[in-house]
Every structure is written in C-alpha cells, then in structure tokens.
Amino acid sequence: MSVPPENGTSLSGAESLLHTLVACGVDTCFANPGTSEMHFVAALDAVPAMRPVLCLFEGVATGAADGYARMAGKPASTLLHLGPGLANGLAGLHNARRAQSSIVNIVGDHATYHLQYDAPLTSDIAGFARPVSDWVRRPASARALPGDVATAVACARRSPGQIATLILPADTAWAPAERIGLPETEMLPATTPESTLEHVAGLLRGPSRSAMLLRGDVLHGQGLQWAARIAARTGTKLFCDTFAPRIRRGRHHPVIERLHYRGDEVLRQLAAFDQLVLVGAEPPVAFFAYPGRPSWLVPPDCALHTLTLPREDGPDALERLADRLEAKTYCPPARLTVAAPQSDESLTPDSILRCVTIDLPEDAIVIDEGLTSTFPNYDLLDAALPHDHLNLTGGAIGSGIPLSVGAAVAAPTRKVVCLHGDGGAMYNLQGLWTQARERLDVITIIFANRAYAILEQELDRVGARVDGTRSRRLLDIGDPDLDWTALATGMGVAAERVTTVAAFRETFGRAIRATGPILIEAVIA
Amino acid sequence: MSVPPENGTSLSGAESLLHTLVACGVDTCFANPGTSEMHFVAALDAVPAMRPVLCLFEGVATGAADGYARMAGKPASTLLHLGPGLANGLAGLHNARRAQSSIVNIVGDHATYHLQYDAPLTSDIAGFARPVSDWVRRPASARALPGDVATAVACARRSPGQIATLILPADTAWAPAERIGLPETEMLPATTPESTLEHVAGLLRGPSRSAMLLRGDVLHGQGLQWAARIAARTGTKLFCDTFAPRIRRGRHHPVIERLHYRGDEVLRQLAAFDQLVLVGAEPPVAFFAYPGRPSWLVPPDCALHTLTLPREDGPDALERLADRLEAKTYCPPARLTVAAPQSDESLTPDSILRCVTIDLPEDAIVIDEGLTSTFPNYDLLDAALPHDHLNLTGGAIGSGIPLSVGAAVAAPTRKVVCLHGDGGAMYNLQGLWTQARERLDVITIIFANRAYAILEQELDRVGARVDGTRSRRLLDIGDPDLDWTALATGMGVAAERVTTVAAFRETFGRAIRATGPILIEAVIA
C-alpha cells in the first residue's frame, strides 16, 4: 500500500524511501554513506523527521542499530556503502541477530545498468547479507521501492525481532518513485496455546524440582513480575541466558540467576532440577566445544519443556500461567548490599564493580562487554538501583561501544555505563567519535589488563599449551600498551586514567553527575 | 602428497597446518585469534619458521596480507576467528581480490560436532567467504588437512593471484594429523599464443594511433622495460589503470599515464587513439554510474584488442612482442624535476607531495589512499627516486594502514610512506598498533581536511544537491576534529601535527632518516 505525497510534489526513490521509513515508525539512521548513497543523504534535508547519526566505521552503525533496537523496542535503519560497507557491519549484525534485534539495513549499490561492468566496488551484496538477514531484497524499480521498504520494516518488526536488508541501486534512489509506502499490518507475536499452559502448569504444580530459563522481552517488562510470582508460588528457580540481550535488574527486581559462561558450571547450576522450562530461550549449550567436555548442557536426568518459543508472546504466556497457578504475590528480594571499597584496596574488576553498583543512578543502562572482568562480578549489580543490563550476545567482540551509542540515542535521558575489556574495545573504537559528536551521555569504563585475558583462560580448557614467547605474544596486547585516554581524546571524548580505587570512585562519581561522553581507563594489569 | 614428520613425532592438525604452510612457502601469518584458534597459536612455538603478526582488528590482518602479497609476490596467511572474524576482514579481502593478491585465509570454526547446537558464535562461514574467495574448503578430517592446506596455497598462488579460504574446525586442529603436506606442482601463468602476438604486432606496426593499458606484474618488473621499448619503437602510448595494485615509478623508469578517476577525463585521455590494447587489464569503466554519463569508457571509434589476459604471462608476452617489433632500445625519460616548496607556501596536498617527491629515498614503497589529496598530484612522484606505488584497488576505503603493515613486513629494509585521507584512515586505524609492536619502518601521512572530501566532489556528479545542515553533517567529519597525533600515540606510534610547509618538510626529512613508525598529521583544512 502506498499513497502519493500530500503536497503533490515529485518524489525520488531516496525521498520516497525516507518518507516511507518515517511513516513506518523508523526515524533514526546510523549512517556511513558513500557515493552511491548521496541521494539518500541529500533527501535527509527534505525529511526532517529522520535523524541521521554519522558513524566513522560500519561496525559502529550496525552495533548502534542493535543497541537502539534493544532499548527503543523498534528498528532503526543503517545506511551502508555497497558490499564492503555491509561487510564491515556484518559482525555487528551477527550479534544483533543473536539479540533478536529489529534492524532495517539500507545498502547502496551501483546503478542496475552499471553492474555488468564489474567496476571495482562491485560485489555480491546479497551473498554478504544472507547469513545475517531474515529478509533480503533488491527492489525491481523505484516504483516498487515504497512497498518494499514498508515490507522491510514489517519484516524487521516481526516477533521477536528480525534483520531486513534492502539493497538500493543508485538509479533506484535517483529515479522517480512518486509514492510513499504505508505501514503493513503488524504481525503480532504468536499466542501460546492453552494446552501448553495447562501442561506447564501441571509440571510446576507437581513435586518435581523445577527451573525456568528466560530470554527475550520477559526479562525486562511486566513478564519479569509474572515470572517472579510463579517462582514464589511454585518454588521454581529462575535462570537467564548467559548473554541476555536486555535484562531489568536492581533493587526491588527479581534476582534471576545467570547461567555461567563455562559449561561445567552450568551443569552444576542445573544439577538440582528435575525439569527445565524454556521461556523464549534455547536449551543451554556450551559457548565453545572443549575436548572431552559436553556441548549439550541439560543434565541427563533433567527433562526439557517449552513454555514459549522466541516468536511467541512471552509476557502474555507468563501472565496466563500465573493466573492458572494463582500466583498473585510478588515478594521483592531482600535488599542486597555491597561493601563500599576501601581506599587502600587495589583497583580490581571486583572493586570497580562495587563502585559502579553503589553509585549507579536509577534507570541507567549498563552495557557489559567486560568478559573476564565482569563475568565473576555480575551478581553485584543486583544490589544497584533499577537499571537495564545489555550483553554481548553473539560473541563477536567489540559490541560495547556501538551498543552504547545506540542505547544512548534511543534513551537520551538515561545514563549509559559501558563496561569494556581493552582488547575488545579496539574493534569498534571509532564509536567514541559518534558519542562526542552526538553529545551522548555515556561513561565508558575500560578494564585495561593489556591482554586477551579470556584467551589465556581458555587455553587450558581447549587442551592447548602455550609455553613459548611467540605464541604468548598473540595473547598479550601490551608492547606497546594502549593509551585509552589518548585514543578517546583523539576522538573528542574526555578521558582519565585511574590506578587506584579512590581515583576511580571519584572520577566515576564526577562522570555520573556530569552529562556527555567520558572514558575512564581503569588500569588493572 | 604428504609425508610424516622427519623426527617421527606425533602431529596435531594445527601443527600439520603450520608445517605444511611453511613447506609450501607461506611463512607469515597476520593473526587475530580466538578460542577456536588456540591450537594454531600454541603450535607456533613448535614451528619457528612461521612468523605470527598480531593485529587488533581483522581488517588489518586481511589488508596486511594484501600488502604483503603485492610486495613479496607470494601469499601470507591470515588467522581469523569464526564467521564474525572473517566478516571483519571481508572488505580487505574485497580489495585484495581486486588487486589479484595471493592470500590463504585460515578461519577457525567450532568443532564439527558442536555446530548442531547453534552456539552464539555459529554462522555461515562459507557463505561469508564465497563472495571474496576463489576457493573455499572445510577439510573433512585432520588427516585430510595437510593435503587441503597444500591445495589452498597452490590455489592462492595461481596466476595472477587468488584468495583461498580454509575453514578449520577446532577438532580438526586438535585431532592427530600425523603428516605434512608437500607443495603441489606450480601452475605457471598461461603463455600467450603466437597468433595473438602476431595480431597485436600487426596492429602496432600499422598506421593507427595505438595505446596500451597495462595492469598486473607488467607494471613492476622487467615487463615495464619491454613495454617502454615497444612504445618507443611504435609510438604506442602507455596507460595504467587508475588503481594499479603495484607500479614501479620514478627516475629512469618509463612514465605510464594513469587513467583518471573520472570517466569524462578517461574518454578525453583515450580520444586520440584508434585502438587500445589490453595487457592484463580489463577495459576501462566508470568507478560509479552517474546520471546521463557513460559507464563504458572506451570511445566508440577506438577498437579494443587484448594482448594478455590477467592469468597469462604478461612480461613474457611483452618480451616476445618487443622481439617481433625489433623494439630494442629503451630511452629513459628526461629527468623530471619538481619545484621545491617555498617556506611561505601554504600546506596543501600539492606542496606536501612535492616535499615527498623530493625527499623520498630510493626504493621506498608508497601506499596511496590519499584520494582527493593525491589524485591530482599523482604525476609528481614520477620525478622521485625509483620506488613502488601501491593503490587502493577495490574502493573499500581504509586500506592504507593495513597495506603499509603488510608491505613493511614483506620488505623490512625499505621505507614505507603511506599517504592517507583522514576519513579513510579511521576504518582500520588499529593497524598503527601493529606498526608499533613490529617496529615497522612506516611513515603515515594523514591529509587532515576533516571531511569526506571525495563525497563532496561526487555530489554534483550524481545530481544530488546537499543544501541543508543535516545532510551536510554526514559529509563533514569535523565536530569534533579527529586528533591524529593522539590516536597514533595512543597506539604507541610517534606522531606530529604540522600546519606549515616548513614544518612538514622538516618532520618528513627527520622521519626519513629515522627508523620505525611515525605518523604526520598534515592539517590542510
């Protein structure tokens, strides 16, 4: 469905595209444009409802779109320059797919008649796009474009969130399109059948020791309260996935135990249960395979059941399940406290996380790519004021800085705190510049241990021995040490290096009270 | 063909892989490893003939492998971490494919039995690899690995240079392989048939006005001299492609006119010729399509002929053609000079290129991703001492820093001078860290105009008008300005900002006399 523009003016494909995106509720574009996208760029002046955000690398654009979708609950678009531009954003899209985030990628291409000449920038864009996209289309013409854009948005919005990639030939952008696409009818998430609810209610009423594994929007909306009531009523233990895309945590909120990164620990966590009920989650599996250790992490005597699939309406299913179980009461957990760090304590991930927990403002957004620094200190944040916690979902490291860009754009009144390992932060450090340009309210904390510390921990588990300097140097990112204060200030972000707990707490407190981006390099080596 | 190791020790897949690479002449690996590559990393201590070079982003690794191949004339390997690691390197591989560089990618994957669980890092690695690879294989077992590695190297070495991608499941790396692969018989470049030589000789002897368009190894070896003799004998004009992967230039060397980036100019350059002979080159086409302008850049009354295809032995064909034409004499061009910049001149791309031309040491390697800064000043470098000139080949910007890493590793006794636009240099800036760690002898010159200047020039040509601040801000990378001296020192590379010609010349001269990486931010805004 499409309509002509109200004022009767002529519309190019690019203008139609922008108007259609806005009509379908997509009003933010994380962009790294090139020549083939110049008509899109020019059309921005005619469509002020679209907010363009320039990124200096495409991994920032796709990661920001992921962070935006997680916090806004709707898609942003990206704008990428042909195959190589999309390629630079693929790792971010991989993470976004694992986060079930909604994204509409606009990838410019050569004019249709130019492809036959195999000019240097020609490549198989659809080939690059398919492994990370639920939907890929190259509009047949400018006149087909408005409808295709509306379909792209509808597809991206489909529960639980999908990735739609629209390939936009330059001549489709500059030819007349004349019409604006209208939003397609929203595909609501599927409703969980009564029979499933009855079955699961029976399981939870019985004498078996039960656990639930939660993922998706049940972890950050009303569903969380329903899950907690069910847990209180039936004694069911609540778990979340190791890499939940977004989870609401902190004081008064139910404490959901996170499955461990290590498979042996997961088996230990689940050992006490006769049955595990999946709510929007996949069964737990090991992150990597390790020789002689299992990949499948459901204990052999634990029965697996499914309450909801990811595409189903999880909060609704939990509410109806709570009704059946007459689970009416939510008892908030006892108030947790963490010990304030002493000024003579050394600066460690633990002491840093305690500072963050104590001083985190209400409704902050915590982006967690701290890996070895934050895994063991994850639970501390349950004692903080209520906040949202966003994780690296697909294992493509370097997501933290881009996610923080997108989250801050989506939620401009909330403080974003990004916890990042130093090795991982190098992958998309260009996002700091976008934080500076857009004056985003982000505190980035770099855990500077000058190593790929997670690899050092993994060596033993994969049965590899690194006993020589040549191999050791591939895990060590010192020589030379990265100077994160220089890197941040080089992109316009204020930065401080701290080496003591007292300095960290003072700097973090000041950053919390201020507005705008700042980076704190916490030297924990 | 494979053999057991000489000392009869047991070999894992990873050890077999490394020994086989070395046996096949691949002794350098640009690596960004993860857990699934730990056995490869551990095996490095047992195979000291392999040099690992750590890169903090995969785009650096693939771009470095490209630069290495161009200078070493043989492949390096990359080591990449599953699908997302490969994805981050795809833009570099796109450029490498356009450069016809030889590369062997080793992409780690989950253990074969782990794939069924769709763990977070699982993705369609072969799907990502295919658009940029001439050959993709996942070995069936550790015992098949040595043979597959030898085939990968043979494939990469096939004329004119190919990209081979080997997907290495973790259990293939850690299982016993026991044997070492031996090099396959080298596939020599195809010999151009006599009939083709006779045909082209006839064309060049005739009265038609002739031009030759050269690409590939004819631009940097003995072929260049043969081409110059043919030109002198027959009056044939010599052209090179706009984005020649590598060309030998400078004093005493033939001056080869470069086809312009702009199609209108190419048509003007070729207007005087009745026939154009391709030597390892494709016919000239426009880099982008522009409304109302041609994509095909061979003038309608210019006949197109082919002396050699890219996979043929170009230098041999030129030598035999020179013999037929009795083209025995090479007359070096008259010595060119450039005016030394006056100290009161302003710092511009032109004055910078004149400084570089005058002070460039013999046998330097110039990496050129200066785009708007270097396109108009390209000819100046013909007056420099003899050197190699490497271009961005595939239009995926950000190649300069990685190329300079690879070129410096391949040619450690030669000075590398990397000319880079500021917008483009942000894509793979992490390569500066590898320059510092490996003490590479690279001078990086950043043309800091604080804009995507090439896009500003392209706007008009695509018929787009940008007259609003919102669109304008997508072309402007100021606000905040990048501080390249901070970015470089943050990664351990000495850096200076210069704003005058005198300061540039002094700094550049000092950098030429010193050894090791340095970055000069030349503010030309």
Side-chain angles (χ1 to χ4, degrees):
Chain A
M1 275 274 291
S2 64
V3 295
E6 280 185 14
N7 55 9
T9 51
S10 181
L11 286 185
S12 70
E15 289 162 338
S16 164
L17 167 59
L18 280 171
H19 281 297
T20 303
L21 285 173
V22 169
C24 296
V26 178
D27 56 14
T28 303
C29 175
F30 297 98
N32 186 258
T35 297
S36 42
E37 292 73 52
M38 282 300 102
H39 287 268
F40 184 112
V41 170
L44 285 165
D45 292 317
V47 188
M50 175 61 77
R51 176 182 179 184
V53 177
L54 180 60
C55 303
L56 299 188
F57 181 69
E58 296 89 344
V60 178
T62 56
D66 182 4
Y68 178 94
R70 295 194 207 180
M71 293 313 303
K74 66 174 192 173
S77 94
T78 63
L79 180 66
L80 307 171
H81 183 47
L82 298 100
L86 172 60
N88 282 336
L90 287 172
L93 294 173
H94 170 86
N95 285 331
R97 187 170 72 89
R98 294 293 181 181
Q100 299 167 329
S101 289
S102 292
I103 297 180
V104 178
N105 296 306
I106 310 294
V107 185
D109 194 9
H110 285 311
T112 47
Y113 62 83
H114 194 65
L115 287 174
Q116 64 186 307
Y117 300 109
D118 195 33
L121 263 169
T122 309
S123 66
D124 179 6
I125 299 178
F128 284 140
R130 267 182 220 109
V132 294
S133 303
D134 298 284
W135 181 97
V136 179
R137 190 173 293 174
R138 181 188 294 270
S141 68
R143 292 187 190 268
L145 181 61
D148 285 348
V149 174
T151 302
V153 177
C155 176
R157 283 176 174 269
R158 196 164 298 163
S159 176
Q162 298 201 130
I163 294 176
T165 300
L166 187 89
I167 301 170
L168 182 67
D171 52 343
T172 306
W174 75 53
E178 304 307 358
R179 297 178 75 86
I180 296 170
L182 296 180
E184 296 188 357
T185 308
E186 196 180 348
M187 284 266 283
L188 295 172
T191 303
T192 304
E194 286 296 320
S195 55
T196 303
L197 295 172
E198 183 55 41
H199 174 66
V200 172
L203 295 171
L204 300 188
R205 275 195 207 102
S208 299
R209 296 164 302 168
S210 303
M212 268 189 176
L213 178 56
L214 309 168
R215 199 172 199 258
D217 58 1
V218 294
L219 284 175
H220 58 84
Q222 196 55 39
L224 207 49
Q225 303 296 324
W226 299 119
R229 290 183 198 196
I230 292 165
R233 173 77 176 166
T234 63
T236 300
K237 169 87 177 178
L238 301 180
F239 288 104
C240 68
D241 179 269
T242 321
F243 298 104
R246 176 180 171 191
I247 177 168
R248 185 75 178 172
R249 304 177 65 194
R251 216 171 288 173
H252 313 305
H253 283 72
V255 173
I256 316 279
E257 186 172 322
R258 185 195 208 184
L259 289 187
H260 203 281
Y261 171 66
R262 298 202 165 191
D264 302 340
E265 295 295 316
V266 175
L267 287 168
R268 199 187 50 69
Q269 286 175 291
L270 298 179
F273 301 99
D274 304 312
Q275 52 193 13
L276 177 65
V277 178
L278 303 174
V279 185
E282 301 291 334
V285 297
F287 197 82
F288 288 107
Y290 303 96
R293 289 179 161 101
S295 291
W296 178 255
L297 300 181
V298 184
D301 48 359
C302 178
L304 203 54
H305 301 279
T306 298
L307 176 67
T308 59
L309 298 170
R311 64 180 167 75
E312 291 181 336
D313 189 339
D316 172 73
L318 286 174
E319 180 175 5
R320 287 156 59 212
L321 181 62
D323 274 353
R324 277 180 185 269
L325 293 167
E326 296 182 334
K328 296 183 175 163
T329 319
Y330 170 59
C331 305
R335 180 163 169 182
L336 303 168
T337 54
V338 300
Q342 303 301 305
S343 57
D344 60 347
E345 263 184 71
S346 56
L347 191 67
T348 63
D350 168 78
S351 58
I352 290 168
L353 263 290
R354 281 186 285 138
C355 292
V356 170
T357 298
I358 291 168
D359 291 332
L360 194 73
E362 181 146 10
D363 232 18
I365 300 166
V366 175
I367 314 273
D368 185 351
E369 200 183 305
L371 305 188
T372 54
S373 294
T374 52
F375 282 157
N377 301 300
Y378 173 85
D379 292 347
L380 289 172
L381 282 160
D382 285 317
L385 289 175
H387 63 279
D388 286 278
H389 188 112
L390 276 56
N391 282 295
L392 169 65
T393 51
I397 67 172
S399 71
I401 294 173
L403 285 176
S404 66
V405 166
V409 168
T413 61
R414 300 172 64 174
K415 180 70 83 177
V416 177
V417 177
C418 176
L419 309 171
H420 220 310
D422 52 357
M426 281 301 286
Y427 287 72
N428 287 301
L429 75 163
Q430 303 93 336
L432 294 172
W433 182 86
T434 301
Q435 291 180 6
R437 167 170 276 199
E438 301 288 330
R439 281 74 171 164
L440 301 178
D441 199 12
V442 179
I443 304 172
T444 304
I445 299 172
I446 301 288
F447 294 90
N449 58 17
R450 280 91 190 246
Y452 286 138
I454 194 158
L455 297 185
E456 295 179 351
Q457 297 189 2
E458 293 280 278
L459 270 169
D460 235 21
R461 307 193 75 226
V462 299
R465 274 192 312 279
V466 168
D467 41 22
T469 43
R470 302 172 70 255
S471 55
R472 177 68 53 192
R473 268 170 71 81
L474 288 193
L475 309 181
D476 155 31
I477 60 170
D479 184 21
D481 283 344
L482 294 163
D483 178 344
W484 277 98
T485 63
L487 294 173
T489 54
M491 287 182 274
V493 169
E496 296 191 35
R497 177 181 299 116
V498 298
T499 57
T500 66
V501 167
F504 178 83
R505 192 158 187 201
E506 190 278 323
T507 307
F508 184 67
R510 195 156 25 83
I512 287 287
R513 292 186 298 276
T515 303
I518 180 170
L519 180 141
I520 305 173
E521 179 181 1
V523 179
I524 57 169
Chain B
M1 276 274 291
S2 64
V3 295
E6 281 184 14
N7 54 9
T9 52
S10 181
L11 286 184
S12 69
E15 288 161 340
S16 164
L17 166 59
L18 280 171
H19 282 295
T20 305
L21 285 173
V22 169
C24 296
V26 178
D27 57 13
T28 303
C29 174
F30 298 98
N32 186 257
T35 297
S36 43
E37 291 73 52
M38 282 301 100
H39 286 270
F40 183 111
V41 170
L44 284 165
D45 292 316
V47 189
M50 175 63 76
R51 175 180 180 184
V53 177
L54 181 60
C55 302
L56 299 188
F57 182 69
E58 296 88 345
V60 178
T62 56
D66 181 5
Y68 178 94
R70 296 194 208 180
M71 293 313 302
K74 67 174 192 172
S77 95
T78 63
L79 180 65
L80 308 171
H81 184 47
L82 298 99
L86 171 61
N88 283 336
L90 288 172
L93 294 173
H94 170 86
N95 285 330
R97 188 170 71 89
R98 294 294 182 183
Q100 299 167 328
S101 289
S102 291
I103 296 179
V104 178
N105 296 305
I106 310 292
V107 185
D109 194 9
H110 285 311
T112 47
Y113 62 82
H114 194 66
L115 287 173
Q116 64 186 308
Y117 300 108
D118 194 33
L121 263 168
T122 309
S123 66
D124 179 5
I125 299 178
F128 285 140
R130 267 183 221 108
V132 294
S133 302
D134 297 284
W135 181 96
V136 179
R137 190 173 294 175
R138 181 189 293 269
S141 67
R143 293 189 189 266
L145 181 62
D148 285 348
V149 174
T151 303
V153 177
C155 176
R157 283 175 174 271
R158 196 163 299 162
S159 176
Q162 298 201 131
I163 294 175
T165 300
L166 186 89
I167 301 170
L168 182 67
D171 52 343
T172 307
W174 76 51
E178 305 306 359
R179 296 178 74 87
I180 296 170
L182 295 180
E184 296 188 357
T185 308
E186 197 180 349
M187 283 266 283
L188 296 171
T191 302
T192 304
E194 286 296 321
S195 56
T196 303
L197 295 171
E198 183 56 42
H199 173 67
V200 172
L203 294 171
L204 300 187
R205 277 193 207 102
S208 297
R209 296 163 301 168
S210 304
M212 267 190 179
L213 178 57
L214 308 169
R215 198 172 199 258
D217 58 1
V218 295
L219 284 174
H220 58 84
Q222 196 54 38
L224 207 51
Q225 303 295 325
W226 299 119
R229 290 183 199 196
I230 293 165
R233 173 77 175 169
T234 63
T236 299
K237 168 88 178 177
L238 301 180
F239 288 104
C240 68
D241 178 270
T242 321
F243 298 103
R246 176 180 171 190
I247 178 168
R248 185 76 179 170
R249 304 178 64 193
R251 216 171 288 171
H252 313 305
H253 283 72
V255 173
I256 317 278
E257 187 172 320
R258 183 195 209 185
L259 289 186
H260 203 280
Y261 171 66
R262 298 205 163 190
D264 302 340
E265 294 295 316
V266 175
L267 287 168
R268 198 186 50 68
Q269 286 174 290
L270 297 179
F273 301 99
D274 304 312
Q275 51 193 13
L276 177 66
V277 178
L278 303 175
V279 184
E282 302 291 334
V285 298
F287 197 81
F288 288 107
Y290 302 96
R293 290 177 160 103
S295 291
W296 179 254
L297 300 182
V298 184
D301 48 0
C302 178
L304 203 55
H305 302 278
T306 298
L307 176 66
T308 60
L309 298 170
R311 65 180 166 77
E312 290 181 339
D313 188 339
D316 171 74
L318 285 173
E319 179 175 8
R320 287 154 61 210
L321 182 62
D323 275 353
R324 278 181 185 269
L325 293 166
E326 296 179 337
K328 296 183 178 167
T329 320
Y330 171 58
C331 305
R335 178 162 171 183
L336 302 167
T337 54
V338 301
Q342 303 301 304
S343 57
D344 60 347
E345 264 185 70
S346 54
L347 190 67
T348 62
D350 168 78
S351 58
I352 290 168
L353 263 292
R354 279 186 286 137
C355 293
V356 170
T357 298
I358 290 167
D359 292 332
L360 194 73
E362 180 145 13
D363 232 18
I365 301 166
V366 175
I367 314 274
D368 185 351
E369 199 183 306
L371 306 188
T372 53
S373 294
T374 51
F375 282 157
N377 300 301
Y378 173 86
D379 292 347
L380 289 172
L381 282 161
D382 284 318
L385 288 174
H387 63 279
D388 285 279
H389 188 112
L390 277 56
N391 282 295
L392 169 65
T393 50
I397 66 172
S399 71
I401 294 173
L403 283 176
S404 66
V405 166
V409 168
T413 62
R414 299 172 64 175
K415 182 68 86 176
V416 177
V417 177
C418 176
L419 310 170
H420 220 309
D422 52 357
M426 281 300 286
Y427 287 71
N428 287 302
L429 75 162
Q430 303 94 336
L432 294 172
W433 181 85
T434 300
Q435 291 181 6
R437 167 170 276 201
E438 301 288 330
R439 280 74 171 166
L440 301 178
D441 199 13
V442 179
I443 305 171
T444 303
I445 299 170
I446 300 288
F447 294 90
N449 58 19
R450 279 91 190 246
Y452 286 137
I454 194 158
L455 296 186
E456 295 179 350
Q457 297 188 3
E458 293 281 279
L459 271 169
D460 234 22
R461 307 192 74 227
V462 298
R465 275 191 311 279
V466 168
D467 42 21
T469 43
R470 302 172 70 254
S471 54
R472 177 66 57 190
R473 267 170 72 81
L474 287 193
L475 309 182
D476 156 31
I477 61 169
D479 186 21
D481 284 344
L482 294 164
D483 177 343
W484 276 98
T485 63
L487 294 173
T489 54
M491 287 182 276
V493 170
E496 297 192 34
R497 177 180 300 117
V498 299
T499 56
T500 66
V501 167
F504 178 83
R505 194 160 186 199
E506 190 278 323
T507 307
F508 184 67
R510 196 156 24 84
I512 287 288
R513 291 187 298 276
T515 303
I518 181 170
L519 181 143
I520 305 173
E521 178 180 3
V523 179
I524 57 169

